[in-house]
Amino acid sequence: LELERGTSLKEIENIISEINNKVKEKIPSMDHLIIQPEATPKDYMLIAAPLKDNKGLDSTVSSHFGRANYFIIASVKDDKIQDFRIIENPGRGLEKKRGIKAAELLKDEKIDVVIVDHLSEGPSYVLSQYILGTTKPEGASLEEIILNAYKKFK
């Protein structure tokens, strides 16, 4: 059963229950049915990283997720950055919950991987059902950092 990543556990349980009931109506002698939910595969990956500045692929990765000025969102396919955009961090000017506001932005953007040194509990919780994972920045340039993250999760 392929589902969109981010489908809540309750929704998944309801879908499985509904499928079980319908199958039992059609085949009453069936003992049990095993349904394995999986995220729908994509042929590209969206990777985000917090940035200090907005200089395209020459930008500098920020070590502060919630306080970053910008985020890069790169679409990567076949070991190449297909395109990217840089957006302002809506949480950077907030007094509190900057990281949560930034995480909500990335969740809404349907990010697959977040490149970050450290993700605190709030942002981590917001993203937990929606992303494949996080990785620390590894590489000499922003492009290399993004491609290394892609290779870890492809």
Side-chain angles (χ1 to χ4, degrees), residues 55-72:
K55 298 179 182 175
L57 289 176
D58 292 323
S59 300
T60 306
V61 174
S62 173
S63 59
H64 298 285
F65 181 79
R67 292 184 182 151
N69 291 319
Y70 305 95
F71 283 94
I72 187 167

Side-chain angles (χ1 to χ4, degrees), residues 13-66:
E13 288 171 351
N14 288 340
I15 292 167
I16 289 173
S17 177
E18 189 176 322
I19 291 170
N20 270 321
N21 291 337
K22 289 189 181 201
V23 169
K24 283 187 179 190
E25 281 177 18
K26 299 284 183 188
I27 311 170
S29 62
M30 185 178 308
D31 244 2
H32 66 281
L33 177 65
I34 297 173
I35 299 172
Q36 182 176 338
E38 295 180 359
T40 306
K42 298 191 307 190
D43 67 343
Y44 66 93
M45 193 179 295
L46 289 178
I47 298 176
L51 302 175
K52 290 180 182 176
D53 47 35
N54 183 355
K55 298 179 182 175
L57 289 176
D58 292 323
S59 300
T60 306
V61 174
S62 173
S63 59
H64 298 285
F65 181 79

